Amino acid sequence: SFLVNIDVCTHCGHLDIGENNSAEFAGKTYDGVGVIYGLAQESVFRDPRPACGAIVGMLTNFNLQNPVHVRLRNDLGEANYQFLSKNDVPADDGSPCRFLIT
């Protein structure tokens, strides 16, 4: 086995909404949190979307008919899925990073 070190600030999709703005995704509003890991927005004219597609989709809108969602939920474990699908996990600076943790 080997260890891989990835710089999540540049590798993982993230949305910087700034401190005085807000973004809405999957029925949840993020107000002035700064950076949201796992969401992206190509343009101010488009809505935020999952940057880590399947993981974010599985946590925000689980579809039993989607085999990728089912596999990811099984890999994550039911207790972890229940927690991460309902709770934000803040980083040290307060920015939500539950999608990154998953």
Side-chain angles (χ1 to χ4, degrees), residues 20-77:
N20 299 317
N21 297 312
S22 66
E24 186 173 326
F25 177 74
K28 180 168 175 103
T29 301
Y30 297 90
D31 289 317
V33 295
V35 177
I36 304 170
Y37 290 99
L39 291 182
Q41 185 175 18
E42 288 84 8
S43 162
V44 295
F45 304 107
R46 299 190 66 182
D47 292 331
R49 64 163 181 81
C52 308
I55 290 174
V56 176
M58 182 250 327
L59 288 175
T60 60
N61 192 24
F62 180 77
N63 179 350
L64 189 57
Q65 303 303 314
N66 184 329
V68 175
H69 285 190
V70 172
R71 180 182 55 79
L72 288 170
R73 185 171 175 169
N74 288 337
D75 290 348
L76 192 57

Side-chain angles (χ1 to χ4, degrees), residues 84-102:
L84 290 167
S85 66
K86 295 178 173 81
N87 299 288
D88 276 328
V89 179
D92 290 342
D93 66 359
S95 61
C97 62
R98 72 178 167 143
F99 303 130
L100 181 62
I101 289 170
T102 305

